[in-house]
Amino acid sequence: MKYVTATFDMVNAIYNVLYTTIKTVYPKYYPKEVVDFFCQHHNKEHILNGIASENMGVLVYDGVIVGTGCYDGNHITGIYVLPSYQKQGCGSYIMNCLETKISKKHDVAVLDASLSAVHLYEHRGYKTVGHGIYELENDVKLVYEIMEKKLRID
């Protein structure tokens, strides 16, 4: 397993990780409107912007891109692992890499946790500091946890 900075030639593989994960996992927690929102949000232009920022990485496992992570400042903006590779430490590996990078400039990491990932983040020491609500079509609300973790102890 190796986490490397994403490059532009990886856009299709990253899109596959995002789309497959969202379409497989999110319907267990969210209504169709939320699943559609995430699929539309994580389009190829969004991925290209993440790659251009040099803050997006991919997890390569046996030569295959199986996960991706991205951050902006001290905000972890996304972690996705293909469903067939979940529960094997891939998400934790990506989180370790992102937290290490963030800790070089920041004392605290912040993230917006989907309902499917709250337990993973709590297990890693993240605490809920707020709740977010994003209004979607058909009076559907996307609800998520705003979480943070101290990375450096003074």
Side-chain angles (χ1 to χ4, degrees):
M1 226 181 318
K2 187 165 84 170
Y3 188 76
V4 298
T5 302
T7 57
F8 290 109
D9 61 324
M10 298 174 177
V11 69
N12 289 331
I14 295 168
Y15 180 79
N16 178 59
V17 168
L18 294 168
Y19 189 83
T20 301
T21 305
I22 291 166
K23 283 293 199 181
T24 304
V25 176
Y26 281 30
K28 299 172 187 172
Y29 298 88
Y30 292 114
K32 178 186 181 309
E33 290 86 353
V34 173
V35 176
D36 292 346
F37 166 79
F38 277 106
C39 285
Q40 291 165 10
H41 177 71
H42 291 292
N43 58 41
K44 289 187 180 178
E45 181 180 342
H46 178 82
I47 296 166
L48 289 169
N49 289 335
I51 294 170
S53 76
E54 297 184 354
N55 293 336
M56 179 178 271
V58 296
L59 184 65
V60 181
Y61 192 153
D62 291 333
V64 177
I65 293 174
V66 301
T68 185
C70 195
Y71 69 100
D72 182 14
N74 72 328
H75 188 184
I76 296 172
T77 57
I79 303 277
Y80 291 88
V81 175
L82 286 171
S84 58
Y85 288 86
Q86 291 178 4
K87 299 188 185 343
Q88 299 177 39
C90 294
S92 292
Y93 191 91
I94 294 171
M95 287 295 294
N96 289 342
C97 294
L98 294 178
E99 288 173 356
T100 298
K101 288 179 185 206
I102 290 169
S103 71
K104 292 176 183 174
K105 294 183 180 178
H106 303 278
D107 295 337
V108 175
V110 178
L111 53 81
D112 300 332
S114 65
L115 298 178
S116 59
V118 169
H119 182 72
L120 166 75
Y121 298 133
E122 286 176 340
H123 183 72
R124 294 187 59 82
Y126 283 80
K127 304 285 185 217
T128 297
V129 295
H131 306 281
I133 298 176
Y134 192 81
E135 306 261 344
L136 299 173
E137 59 190 25
N138 301 328
D139 288 332
V140 172
K141 293 173 178 51
L142 164 57
V143 179
Y144 56 93
E145 302 289 304
I146 302 165
M147 304 181 84
E148 64 179 41
K149 175 183 176 181
K150 281 194 172 213
L151 300 176
R152 292 191 287 203
I153 309 297
D154 296 330

